[in-house]
Amino acid sequence: MALRPVQVNVKALDHAALGRFWAAALGWRAHHGATTYAGPPGDFVWPDPVAVGIDVVAVPEPKGAAKNRVHLDLANASAAHQAELVTRLIGLGATPADVGQHDVPWTVLADPEGNEFCVLEPREMYRDTGPIAAIVVDCADPPAMARFWGEALDWTVRRVTDEFASLRAEAPGGPYLEFLRTPGAAGPDRLHLDLLPAPGDDQMAEVARVRALGATDLDVGQGDVPWICLSDPEGHAFCVCAPH
């Protein structure tokens, strides 16, 4: 029994426009419907067997001034590629962002609706991830988050320190899930993970399992929907989708 991340859910005032931005940013394709799903090039496949897609959903409220607790890190093959990507992203509508990063080798940007993300300098560990190197979660206790998410997911804990923890699927390809100690991180997020049970597993059995691990029910006014909204032990939202 296990869950796996299949998409990052992103809230937006204009889901179609933001979905197009992320598809273009990643070299992916935007698929439009009630939401806009950005996934690898080619025909629509959900869930993708390797990549974690981006599903952009419409909401009436704009992003507030506070930094999101979840953001994406984008991978690069070289310093030249990093510089080229930053220039291209700004041309697509991204803007430089200051989150107190000071002098660092990566570039912090915000997408057209203000969601922060990083364009990393080349790092060997991200050579085979695809365009998204990592989904990064600000938290108070990375070791505790690694324990919870390591039990919840069909992913392997790769590294744990007091300041940082990372998980990744056993199969090659796809991003890391990382937890970064960030004092004072709190508040609602525009991004969260959507998870899917393994083939043949029962959605409600998986929900019961993660509740036993420390997840709690979350009511965001979702009403009668086929997914279950939960929070992890530090209050980060996630959803358990129904298999189909």
Side-chain angles (χ1 to χ4, degrees):
M1 299 177 68
L3 296 162
R4 74 175 181 98
V6 291
Q7 61 193 25
V8 177
N9 182 292
V10 182
K11 298 179 177 67
L13 292 173
D14 186 339
H15 72 85
L18 195 62
R20 286 193 296 270
F21 167 84
W22 277 108
L26 301 173
W28 284 0
R29 181 177 177 183
H31 303 271
H32 298 284
T35 68
T36 300
Y37 177 80
D43 294 336
F44 178 77
V45 175
W46 193 94
D48 188 271
V50 175
V52 176
I54 296 178
D55 193 42
V56 186
V57 303
V59 296
E61 306 87 8
K63 180 183 180 295
K67 175 183 177 292
N68 286 326
R69 292 185 298 167
V70 179
H71 73 267
L72 301 180
D73 281 353
L74 305 190
N76 280 286
S78 66
H81 181 210
Q82 181 187 13
E84 176 187 320
L85 180 57
V86 168
T87 299
R88 186 169 68 82
L89 290 166
I90 290 173
L92 291 171
T95 53
D98 184 353
V99 294
Q101 68 268 25
H102 304 299
D103 185 19
V104 293
W106 58 88
T107 301
V108 183
L109 299 173
D111 72 17
E113 293 212 8
N115 301 299
E116 304 86 1
F117 66 98
C118 297
V119 181
L120 299 179
E121 77 284 5
R123 300 185 193 181
E124 186 61 33
M125 67 181 290
Y126 300 132
R127 289 286 182 181
D128 65 345
T129 61
I132 301 176
I135 302 154
V136 184
V137 181
D138 294 344
C139 68
D141 190 341
M145 288 291 94
R147 286 192 295 272
F148 170 81
W149 284 97
E151 290 287 336
L153 301 183
D154 187 22
W155 284 21
T156 301
V157 177
R158 303 299 179 98
R159 179 184 169 199
V160 180
T161 71
D162 286 343
E163 301 298 319
F164 175 83
S166 67
L167 297 82
R168 196 185 187 201
E170 277 295 334
Y176 287 77
L177 176 60
E178 299 179 346
F179 298 93
L180 182 65
R181 185 181 295 277
T182 310
D189 276 309
R190 305 287 278 187
L191 286 75
H192 70 258
L193 283 173
D194 286 342
L195 313 178
L196 190 67
D201 284 352
D202 179 75
Q203 179 191 26
M204 294 312 299
E206 283 298 289
V207 168
R209 186 177 66 83
V210 294
R211 283 176 180 146
L213 294 172
T216 53
D217 294 322
L218 178 65
D219 186 352
V220 292
Q222 65 268 25
D224 185 17
V225 292
W227 56 88
I228 309 297
C229 298
L230 300 165
S231 293
D232 73 13
E234 287 202 16
H236 303 96
F238 65 96
C239 295
V240 178
C241 301
H244 63 81

